[in-house]
Amino acid sequence: MFKKIALATALIASASFATWDKFPVLEANKGQAKVGMDYNMQGDWSGLDLYAGARYTVIQNLELGLVLPYTIFTDDDCDDKICGDDPDGLKNLTIMARYQFMPAMNAFVDVDLPIGEEELADDGLGLHFGVQYSMPINEMISLGSEAGLWMATEGDDEVSPPWNLNVGAELDFAVMPQLTPYVGLDFNMHLGENTHDGDDIPGSDESGEIGIWLTLGAGYAINEMIGIDASFGMGFGEDYYGKDTPMVIDVNVKINF
C-alpha cells in the first residue's frame, strides 16, 4: 500500500503545483470551464483521473477558480495481499485565486482542501503561492513563467511533507489562428524534512532533491467558445520522483463564457 501512495504522491507533485496557467488573468466578467482526463503512469502503477474546473474574473484583475478531480481507477501490477486494493474516488478540491497587479505580473495562491479519499490524497491542508510573469516575445511566441512555494499541514497521521520550491516556464507558439503548440519546463526542489507532530523524522531529509517536469502539448480552438487541449508530461530526477519515470497524458475541453 505504501508503494501505491508514494507513486501517486509523485504524480500529484508534478501536476498539483501547477496553477491554471502562467499567463495574464481573464478580462473582467469573463470565465472559462474545463473538463478533462489524466492518464498517469509510473513503473507498474497507472491510474485514470477525470476532473472539472472553472475560473472567473469577478472584478478587474482578480480571477477566482477551482478544480475537482476524481480517480476512476488505479492499477498496480502487484499482489493484492501485499499492496491492498486499488483505490478510486474523489481527490482533494483546489481553490485558486490570481491577482494581476502589473500588466505582466500575477500573484497567486492555491489552497488544497482535504476532502478526498485517504488513499488518493493528502489529508492535510495544502498551500501553494507565488508570482507569475508573462510577455509576448514576438507576434507568434508568448512566454509564461512562474515561481512558487508549496507546503502542507499535518494530516491525521501527524506527518507533513517537506516544502517544495517550483520554478517553471512555458512557451506558446501561435502557428495558426486556431492551433497553438506549447512546451513547458518546471523545476521542483524539496526543502527540509518530513516531520511527525512537528519533529523531524530521522533519515527523512529530502532537502535539495530536484525533479524536472517536461510538458509538450497543443491547444486547438474550434471556435471562440470551445477549445481542445492535449499534452504529454514526464518527470526526470530519481531522487525526487523515484526510480521509475512518471508520465501523464492529459486531454481536456475548455469552454469560454
Side-chain angles (χ1 to χ4, degrees), residues 1-5 7 42-46 74-87 244:
M1 181 59 67
F2 177 77
K3 178 185 176 185
K4 291 184 182 180
I5 296 174
L7 292 173
Q42 189 174 22
D44 295 330
W45 184 92
S46 62
T74 54
D75 181 66
D76 197 340
D77 186 11
C78 180
D79 189 340
D80 287 343
K81 294 181 180 179
I82 299 175
C83 296
D85 297 330
D86 296 314
D244 296 315

Side-chain angles (χ1 to χ4, degrees), residues 10-256:
L11 291 170
I12 290 169
S14 70
S16 65
F17 297 145
T19 48
W20 190 290
D21 65 28
K22 297 179 173 70
F23 295 92
V25 304
L26 300 176
E27 296 178 8
N29 302 315
K30 297 290 187 179
Q32 186 177 68
K34 177 167 63 174
V35 179
M37 66 177 185
D38 285 331
Y39 182 65
N40 307 296
M41 301 161 283
Q42 189 174 22
D44 295 330
W45 184 92
S46 62
L48 178 67
D49 291 349
L50 298 181
Y51 61 88
R55 59 173 175 165
Y56 186 78
T57 303
V58 293
I59 60 174
Q60 187 66 35
N61 299 326
L62 177 60
E63 180 183 279
L64 303 179
L66 55 83
V67 175
L68 182 63
Y70 186 94
T71 295
I72 300 299
F73 74 84
T74 54
D75 181 66
D76 197 340
D77 186 11
C78 180
D79 189 340
D80 287 343
K81 294 181 180 179
I82 299 175
C83 296
D85 297 330
D86 296 314
D88 56 47
L90 198 66
K91 285 187 173 181
N92 288 346
L93 171 68
T94 300
I95 298 176
M96 304 174 291
R98 295 198 301 160
Y99 183 73
Q100 188 170 319
F101 60 91
M102 294 176 60
M105 296 194 71
N106 308 324
F108 71 88
V109 58
D110 301 341
V111 180
D112 293 330
L113 301 180
I115 66 171
E117 299 291 337
E118 181 180 354
E119 295 178 311
L120 295 169
D122 293 334
D123 58 357
L125 187 72
L127 179 66
H128 182 214
F129 60 92
V131 294
Q132 299 175 323
Y133 174 79
S134 60
M135 62 172 289
I137 295 177
N138 55 40
E139 292 183 358
M140 187 179 75
I141 304 174
S142 297
L143 167 70
S145 63
E146 175 181 295
L149 185 65
W150 178 90
M151 60 187 69
T153 63
E154 295 178 357
D156 293 339
D157 57 4
E158 297 184 330
V159 173
S160 62
W163 293 5
N164 190 91
L165 175 68
N166 73 283
V167 178
E170 177 182 315
L171 289 174
D172 286 11
F173 303 89
V175 295
M176 296 171 56
Q178 298 87 6
L179 180 64
T180 305
Y182 58 86
V183 57
L185 197 63
D186 293 273
F187 294 84
N188 293 290
M189 183 171 69
H190 285 143
L191 302 175
E193 302 182 34
N194 292 280
T195 62
H196 179 264
D197 196 20
D199 297 323
D200 293 342
I201 300 176
S204 69
D205 189 3
E206 300 178 9
S207 188
E209 294 178 351
I210 295 176
I212 300 174
W213 191 263
L214 173 66
T215 303
L216 301 173
Y220 183 81
I222 298 175
N223 52 46
E224 292 184 357
M225 178 177 292
I226 301 175
I228 300 174
D229 187 283
S231 66
F232 171 78
M234 61 188 305
F236 303 91
E238 185 172 332
D239 290 339
Y240 188 92
Y241 292 111
K243 67 177 183 178
D244 296 315
T245 299
M247 293 176 284
V248 175
I249 298 172
D250 177 86
V251 179
N252 64 75
V253 176
K254 296 183 175 72
I255 302 173
N256 301 314

